[in-house]
Every structure is written in structure tokens, then in C-alpha cells.
Amino acid sequence: MIKINNLKFSYVGNKDFIEIEKFSIDGNGIYSVIGENGSGKTTFFKLICNIIDFKTGEILLFNKNIKKIKDLSRMISYIPQNIYLHHDFPVRDFIKLGRYSRMDLWGNLNSFDEKELDDLLDSLGISHLKNKTCYSLSGGELQLVQLARAIYQGGKILVMDEPFSNIDHKHRKTIVKIIRELKKEKLILISTHDLGISFNISDHLICLKNGRIVEMGDADTISLKLDFIFEAKIEFLKIDGLFYFKEGE
């Protein structure tokens, strides 16, 4: 699904910030990208989604060069870490914009798309939010609405940058449940600083360090590399197949 060859990217005036020689993901599942602040996780996601341009190397989605894909939104959807809304949309209208490319000149979708939207709201348990405005939502509610829009947009790849930050336990559990269902039919890329979540829900972990992918593997394999990845002593327990990470000292 995703292949990267000889990719180099730098911000203006800086040395190469991202440098990936070879990288590929071939199937559905949950892939968590972990690493220190500044390791390049958000930039990595923006490159895969063609939000920022690169001069060297190539990124392929389904064996197609990302720069030559005309309607990328039908292949990949992206939920950014920080959500900026320039207008206080009604929730239903905001989610509806996920299929902007399918709207007619008056901003209408066909009856099938409209029904699919209502069915999605029901399945995610957020129908009660559809007539509210986005500015009135809590952080957790807004994250669910963002996820609904990304799902409605479609595509086989879903990219989520820090989806669990600043939300309460209830909404966190809801999002985890939805993601676990979605992985049956999508490739899901997540970045999070919550190692407990990343280790316990992911099929694979991708480790970024100084803009390079230094490790990739399952939770047991990566658990042996954490001190190197974060340049700090990371303590954890594994009980009944679940990872518990020590916080504090």
C-alpha cells in the first residue's frame, strides 16, 4: 500500500530533516509511529499525505506515485494533531465535507451518500451531535467528529496525528474501539506519545529518531529498543499480554 524510496526532505535553510531509504507497508492493520518530540512524526505523516512537497525520492500509494494521483482524497484521509476551524459548521455539514469532491455545484450529495452519512453517525453513536455546531463540542466530541469525517471521506488509508491528546478516558476508549474495527478494512497510521495505547492496540510500531526510521516491529520486539529510541530508561510491565508503562520518576 505504501512504499518509500530514497526520500529526503528538509525545511528551508535546514539540513535533511527526514531521510528514509526504504520503507513499505503492505497490508491492513494499526501501525503506531513513536519517537521523541521533534523526531519527525508529523512531518512524516504530512509527506505521506502529500501536504508538504519533497524534492528527492518517491512515495508510492498502491504502486502509484503520490505526486501523480489526481484525487488523493479517495485513497487517504488525514486527521491533524491540531484542528483549526475557520467557520462554526454544524456537525453534519462538517462531516459531509469529507466528500467535497463528490458534491455538485450547489454543495449537494446524492441520496445514497446522504443515507450513508446518517448511517455512519448512527454506527459511531454521535447522531445526537449532528445539529450542534463544531465550536460547541468538547475536545473528545470534536475528535470523534473528525474521525467520522475521515471515515466518510473514504479511502483505504487513515492517518491520525495524536488522536488521543487532550481527551478524556471515555472518548479515548470509544476511539480505540472504532480504530480496532476499522483495521479490518483499512491501513491505519497513528502517532501518539501514549506508549500504553500504542503498544496495546498496534499490530506494528514504527520508530522515528532524528527523522530516520530506526526500528519497525511488533510490540515485543520494540519493547527491547525503547531506551535507545527515547534516550532514556523506559520502565514497563507486561501482564496477561498487556503493557503497562511506569510514569513519573
Side-chain angles (χ1 to χ4, degrees), residues 113-233:
D113 286 332
E114 292 284 358
K115 183 180 185 306
E116 197 170 344
L117 173 53
D118 289 326
D119 290 344
L120 176 64
L121 294 174
D122 287 338
S123 68
L124 297 182
I126 58 172
S127 291
H128 63 289
L129 300 177
K130 66 181 180 181
N131 294 320
K132 290 188 175 184
T133 61
C134 289
Y135 286 177
S136 71
L137 302 179
S138 69
E141 289 172 334
L142 185 56
Q143 194 65 257
L144 277 172
V145 168
Q146 280 278 102
L147 179 54
R149 173 171 162 163
I151 295 170
Y152 189 60
Q153 179 179 320
K156 291 283 291 181
I157 302 172
L158 172 61
V159 180
M160 307 175 72
D161 194 358
E162 291 288 348
F164 305 108
S165 62
N166 302 316
I167 61 174
D168 61 29
H169 183 69
K170 174 186 174 183
H171 288 99
R172 186 175 294 204
K173 285 184 67 176
T174 301
I175 291 172
V176 166
K177 181 180 178 181
I178 293 169
I179 290 171
R180 279 178 161 156
E181 284 296 315
L182 287 174
K183 80 169 190 174
K184 299 172 185 176
E185 58 190 49
K186 291 180 183 287
L187 187 166
I188 302 171
L189 282 168
I190 297 171
S191 74
T192 176
H193 289 289
D194 190 322
L195 293 178
I197 286 183
S198 60
F199 270 71
N200 289 319
I201 73 169
S202 302
D203 299 294
H204 298 277
L205 293 109
I206 301 164
C207 308
L208 272 175
K209 186 178 178 70
N210 299 322
R212 279 71 173 164
I213 294 175
V214 294
E215 298 286 347
M216 180 173 171
D218 61 21
D220 287 321
T221 300
I222 301 304
S223 68
L224 304 175
K225 311 285 186 177
L226 287 173
D227 293 358
F228 162 69
I229 295 162
F230 290 96
E231 298 184 3
K233 183 65 176 176

Side-chain angles (χ1 to χ4, degrees), residues 15-185:
K15 64 180 182 180
D16 290 336
F17 181 59
I18 296 287
E19 187 172 348
I20 300 171
E21 185 175 345
K22 292 285 183 182
F23 172 77
S24 66
I25 300 176
D26 296 321
N28 295 340
I30 300 172
Y31 295 76
S32 284
V33 180
I34 63 171
E36 296 179 295
N37 287 332
S39 60
K41 298 184 295 296
T42 295
T43 301
F44 177 60
F45 282 173
K46 288 182 176 179
L47 287 166
I48 288 174
C49 296
N50 205 31
I51 294 171
I52 52 178
D53 194 17
F54 56 93
K55 303 299 182 185
T56 304
E58 64 176 3
I59 299 176
L60 306 176
L61 299 184
F62 304 97
N63 294 317
K64 296 180 180 179
N65 190 309
I66 197 170
K67 293 187 176 183
K68 297 179 180 179
I69 299 173
K70 291 183 179 180
D71 193 355
L72 190 61
S73 66
R74 295 197 178 213
M75 286 189 178
I76 189 167
S77 52
Y78 172 63
I79 301 177
Q81 178 178 356
N82 298 308
I83 303 168
Y84 300 105
L85 297 175
H86 301 292
H87 178 74
D88 191 15
F89 291 97
V91 165
R92 194 181 187 283
D93 290 349
F94 176 73
I95 297 172
K96 190 175 175 179
L97 287 171
R99 294 192 180 175
Y100 175 79
S101 63
R102 305 185 193 185
M103 291 180 174
D104 63 22
L105 292 175
W106 295 272
N108 298 314
L109 294 170
N110 63 40
S111 58
F112 175 82
D113 286 332
E114 292 284 358
K115 183 180 185 306
E116 197 170 344
L117 173 53
D118 289 326
D119 290 344
L120 176 64
L121 294 174
D122 287 338
S123 68
L124 297 182
I126 58 172
S127 291
H128 63 289
L129 300 177
K130 66 181 180 181
N131 294 320
K132 290 188 175 184
T133 61
C134 289
Y135 286 177
S136 71
L137 302 179
S138 69
E141 289 172 334
L142 185 56
Q143 194 65 257
L144 277 172
V145 168
Q146 280 278 102
L147 179 54
R149 173 171 162 163
I151 295 170
Y152 189 60
Q153 179 179 320
K156 291 283 291 181
I157 302 172
L158 172 61
V159 180
M160 307 175 72
D161 194 358
E162 291 288 348
F164 305 108
S165 62
N166 302 316
I167 61 174
D168 61 29
H169 183 69
K170 174 186 174 183
H171 288 99
R172 186 175 294 204
K173 285 184 67 176
T174 301
I175 291 172
V176 166
K177 181 180 178 181
I178 293 169
I179 290 171
R180 279 178 161 156
E181 284 296 315
L182 287 174
K183 80 169 190 174
K184 299 172 185 176
E185 58 190 49

